[in-house]
Amino acid sequence: MNDWWNDFRAPLTVCKPSAIVQVGAILPGTGTVVVARLDGARMRDANLVFYEFSDALLFPGYFGWNWASLSECLRDLNWLPAEAYLIVVERAPLLMSSDLEERETLLEILFRTGRTWADPIGRSGGKDVPFKVLLLCDTDEEVTELEREVASLRP
């Protein structure tokens, strides 16, 4: 599982919940890890996405409740210092189901955030920090569809 944490080319991973025994089994052996557990069913539109991320990651009062501010806060997280970050989104196919174009915006933000954290330039001690997102699906068909969406984000 350490290979997964160190694979910065793929900050978003789509899988069925049965593929993961428990979160503890995928956490790095050492270090501080922030884990945020979100539910796609509770994030059907942008405002709900902003609320859930803000609540789960304790965003500061200056969070602007828009995509640019979500991106900025996810790339900062200095109020939650850690050696790794894991965002688990259960029922991911329901995420932004009211607007698939905005879901693409969210997935792009999460993808780019993972890439940003992986870049040691500008990080204290010049060290990269894993930022991983698990998108959990209930069926193989959902996995296939969401993997297609995530694959389209890659440069």
Side-chain angles (χ1 to χ4, degrees):
M1 214 22 104
N2 279 337
D3 292 341
W4 180 74
W5 277 103
N6 296 321
D7 183 4
F8 295 112
R9 294 167 295 150
L12 278 67
T13 302
V14 181
C15 63
K16 288 175 56 172
S18 61
I20 297 174
V21 178
Q22 54 185 301
V23 171
I26 64 168
L27 294 178
T30 60
T32 304
V33 180
V34 169
V35 178
R37 187 174 169 184
L38 303 169
D39 184 349
R42 296 180 60 171
M43 298 187 293
R44 292 183 186 257
D45 65 37
N47 288 327
L48 294 170
V49 166
F50 302 145
Y51 175 80
E52 293 297 321
F53 272 91
S54 176
D55 188 50
L57 295 171
L58 309 172
F59 283 178
Y62 61 79
F63 174 58
W65 302 92
N66 58 53
W67 292 119
S69 189
L70 177 68
S71 179
E72 179 184 330
C73 285
L74 289 174
R75 292 173 192 224
D76 185 352
L77 295 174
N78 67 3
W79 57 91
L80 284 176
E83 280 109 350
Y85 296 91
L86 174 62
I87 309 295
V88 179
V89 180
E90 297 178 90
R91 298 191 283 184
L94 298 177
L95 181 66
M96 299 293 299
S97 58
S98 69
D99 190 336
L100 296 182
E101 192 172 303
E102 284 202 322
R103 175 161 72 186
E104 183 178 337
T105 299
L106 174 60
L107 293 176
E108 285 177 6
I109 287 170
L110 294 172
F111 184 82
R112 289 182 181 153
T113 298
R115 289 286 182 94
T116 298
W117 280 99
D119 186 354
I121 297 173
R123 299 259 169 243
S124 80
K127 184 178 174 205
D128 52 40
V129 177
F131 181 97
K132 303 295 268 184
V133 179
L134 278 178
L135 300 168
L136 302 181
C137 302
D138 291 325
T139 67
D140 291 331
E141 293 79 20
E142 291 173 340
V143 169
T144 301
E145 180 57 36
L146 206 47
E147 281 179 335
R148 189 173 310 131
E149 288 181 50
V150 168
S152 73
L153 303 173
R154 300 203 172 127

